[in-house]
Amino acid sequence: MSTAPAASAATAAPANPRSRVITASLVGTTIEFYDFYVYATAAVLVFPILFFPTGDDTTALLSSFAVFGAAMVARPIGAVVFGHFGDKFGRKATLVASLLTMGVATFLIGVLPTYDGIGWWAALLLLILRLFQGFALGGEWSGAALVATENAPKGKRAWYGTFPQLGAPIGFIIANGIFLVINFALPHPDGPAQRSDAFLEWGWRVPFLFSAVMVIIGLWVRLKLVESETFAKAEKSGAIRKFPLGEVVRRHWWQLILGTFIMLATYVLFYLMTSFTLSYGTKAGLEAAEQAAAEAGTAFDAAAYVPGLGFGYTDFVIMQIVGVVFFGIFTLLSGPIADALGRRKLLLWITAAIAVFGLTFNVFLLPQVDPKFTGALVQAFLILGFMLMGATFGPMGAILPELFPTNVRYTGSAISYNVSSILGAALAPIVAVALWAATGGSPWLVGVYLTGASVLTFVALWLSKETKDVDYDTFIGAEERASR
């Protein structure tokens, strides 16, 4: 008779300490987002020159962003693959695999030869490694969100869900901080605000290679995790499915659609505030570009040129980092508010605010007579945009997993999150650059694009139900609830 308690204790899942839960979910997503931001920054500053020398600045930038967006296509595939293993065998091993895949792909980008070395093969290899990055990120976010929320104390699931979300602003600051340090450390014959030849030759590779150090730290933390009690209960009850994808599509297709569009405005805002603003902010204005062409003795077509604001790279990235600090603060603040008010109610208000924000692009982002006034307006724009980003991104760590039962939670939340990345993140930089060019350098249509995405998200939230009171102990899966 004494063996029963022992057997029960042996099969019970040991609890993860709260500090381990927070650290594992935060460290992993920080590394993943670091790797993604490193590529996003290089896609603006380096890759158009070194991998896509088309002879036209806009075409080269669009080519670079196309490869950037291609990773979003791989993300749903990663969501299905990692979601399958995460729902079938557990969260821990899946998270370790996704982190390792991302780290290896990022490191290899850092050693790629460029167009001058192997021609267009360089662009092809860059595309392949970028696809592996997207594949890895497809499984990372959802697993980290589940580690956080499935181990959260009662009534604090949204608060715990903000910690994997916090990896986004932290990863941004680390990635761009390293780029800034490298850029400052190298000689600048044309002035400290400009990219140096040494930066283009080898300096850009350092952030990619440094990711190996961060991945080793992340793996060490995650290998200490044990499975959550929530997953252990689902496993014990027989709720685990051989084919989670079929289960989630057959029984939870409506939640997949809602989750995809709930995330849409967040993605569009996210990539407009990071990639597009960096392109628009650092591209020379019309007069400066015409003067540079005259000094270089090259022809200049003013009618075809798409002007930007003309900030130096280092100046603008520092302005972005200031905004991202507010991104992190509001990500953390959104958790307790979402626990108190509900995820749906908070996100409805924030999404409406994002829609209004999209209509203000010409107020903040047009060049003014006084350059200092231009800088002040752009800094205000970045702070406001990143505040909204934190407020909408934070609750996603809770609301998307809560849409699905335990036996398909990894797959369902991962697919919603990553299919939305195609509609939002993959298209946002390309659409934004095209709209920017179509208006001859004005950003107002880019803002309208953000407003349109916000309307779709608002409708999805309106059609959804509040999820803050979902009980993970009983929300295991439809069939097993019926059989209990």
Side-chain angles (χ1 to χ4, degrees):
M1 293 181 62
S2 61
T3 59
S8 177
T11 57
N16 289 298
R18 295 182 182 182
S19 59
R20 186 181 300 168
V21 170
I22 292 172
T23 304
S25 59
L26 175 60
V27 168
T29 52
T30 296
I31 295 169
E32 296 277 5
F33 278 107
Y34 166 86
D35 289 351
F36 233 59
Y37 284 134
V38 164
Y39 186 96
T41 301
V44 174
L45 299 175
V46 177
F47 294 157
I49 301 170
L50 299 182
F51 288 85
F52 305 100
T54 62
D56 178 81
D57 290 345
T58 301
T59 303
L61 183 61
L62 283 170
S63 299
S64 183
F65 275 151
V67 174
F68 176 81
M72 309 305 172
V73 178
R75 286 176 61 165
I77 301 173
V80 170
V81 173
F82 287 112
H84 174 84
F85 289 107
D87 280 328
K88 191 171 182 180
F89 301 110
R91 317 325 192 187
K92 175 183 174 179
T94 309
L95 280 171
V96 169
S98 68
L99 182 59
L100 190 58
T101 303
M102 173 67 90
V104 171
T106 304
F107 181 85
L108 290 178
I109 290 175
V111 298
L112 272 183
T114 63
Y115 178 86
D116 287 342
I118 59 173
W120 289 109
W121 284 102
L124 178 61
L125 291 174
L126 181 65
L127 172 62
I128 292 171
L129 292 175
R130 181 62 179 162
L131 290 173
F132 272 102
Q133 276 193 321
F135 179 78
L137 193 59
E140 164 61 29
W141 175 85
S142 185
L146 264 58
V147 165
T149 58
E150 289 185 346
N151 288 280
K154 186 176 181 180
K156 294 185 177 180
R157 209 156 49 214
W159 164 238
Y160 269 59
T162 62
F163 287 102
Q165 310 300 79
L166 194 60
I170 294 176
F172 181 95
I173 291 172
I174 296 174
N176 285 280
I178 290 176
F179 266 113
L180 283 177
V181 169
I182 294 168
N183 198 39
F184 275 126
L186 295 175
H188 291 76
D190 297 324
Q194 305 302 316
R195 286 163 286 182
S196 67
D197 291 338
F199 180 77
L200 290 174
E201 288 173 4
W202 61 268
W204 67 271
R205 298 180 183 276
V206 176
F208 289 92
L209 301 178
F210 179 72
S211 68
V213 177
M214 300 182 66
V215 167
I216 292 171
I217 296 171
L219 289 174
W220 177 74
V221 173
R222 285 192 166 175
L223 285 170
K224 290 188 172 184
L225 282 174
V226 293
E227 293 298 342
S228 68
E229 292 184 6
T230 299
F231 181 81
K233 288 178 181 178
E235 195 172 33
K236 185 178 179 181
S237 70
I240 303 304
R241 292 293 175 260
K242 292 182 179 179
F243 188 50
L245 176 62
E247 176 83 1
V248 77
V249 170
R250 185 173 65 254
R251 294 183 176 274
H252 306 284
W253 59 270
W254 180 239
Q255 286 77 14
L256 285 174
I257 294 173
L258 287 178
T260 297
F261 284 95
I262 284 172
M263 187 69 198
L264 180 64
T266 303
Y267 264 126
V268 174
L269 177 62
F270 188 68
Y271 284 92
L272 291 185
M273 295 305 299
T274 53
S275 295
F276 170 74
T277 57
L278 183 61
S279 301
Y280 178 70
T282 57
K283 191 170 184 183
L286 185 61
E287 292 183 5
E290 191 169 10
Q291 182 180 351
E295 292 175 354
T298 58
F300 181 77
D301 185 358
Y305 185 75
V306 181
L309 293 176
F311 287 95
Y313 161 68
T314 55
D315 294 334
F316 197 83
V317 170
I318 290 172
M319 294 168 69
Q320 278 191 318
I321 289 175
V322 171
V324 169
V325 170
F326 288 86
F327 179 9
I329 292 171
F330 275 76
T331 296
L332 286 176
L333 290 176
S334 68
I337 297 173
D339 278 327
L341 295 182
R343 296 80 161 106
R344 179 177 176 270
K345 183 182 292 186
L346 174 62
L347 287 171
L348 281 170
W349 281 104
I350 298 302
T351 303
I354 294 172
V356 174
F357 176 69
L359 301 177
T360 68
F361 275 41
N362 265 17
V363 175
F364 291 102
L365 294 181
L366 289 181
Q368 306 296 318
V369 176
D370 184 356
K372 291 184 179 179
F373 187 43
T374 302
L377 285 175
V378 172
Q379 185 66 82
F381 173 85
L382 292 171
I383 290 173
L384 180 57
F386 278 118
M387 284 169 57
L388 292 170
M389 184 64 227
T392 185
F393 191 55
M396 293 298 165
I399 190 171
L400 293 186
E402 288 169 351
L403 291 172
F404 303 94
T406 303
N407 66 338
V408 293
R409 185 169 294 134
Y410 203 131
T411 301
S413 58
I415 290 175
S416 293
Y417 183 83
N418 290 291
V419 170
S420 189
S421 77
I422 296 178
L423 302 178
L427 295 178
I430 299 171
V431 171
V433 171
L435 293 175
W436 172 29
T439 55
S442 171
W444 74 272
L445 271 182
V446 180
V448 172
Y449 168 53
L450 174 61
T451 298
S454 301
V455 170
L456 293 176
T457 291
F458 191 91
V459 171
L461 286 164
W462 189 265
L463 294 174
S464 66
K465 297 179 180 179
E466 179 55 59
T467 59
K468 82 181 186 75
D469 294 322
V470 167
D471 186 354
Y472 274 11
D473 288 335
T474 58
F475 194 32
I476 295 174
E479 293 181 3
E480 16 348 310
R481 285 207 311 274
S483 64
R484 285 172 58 180

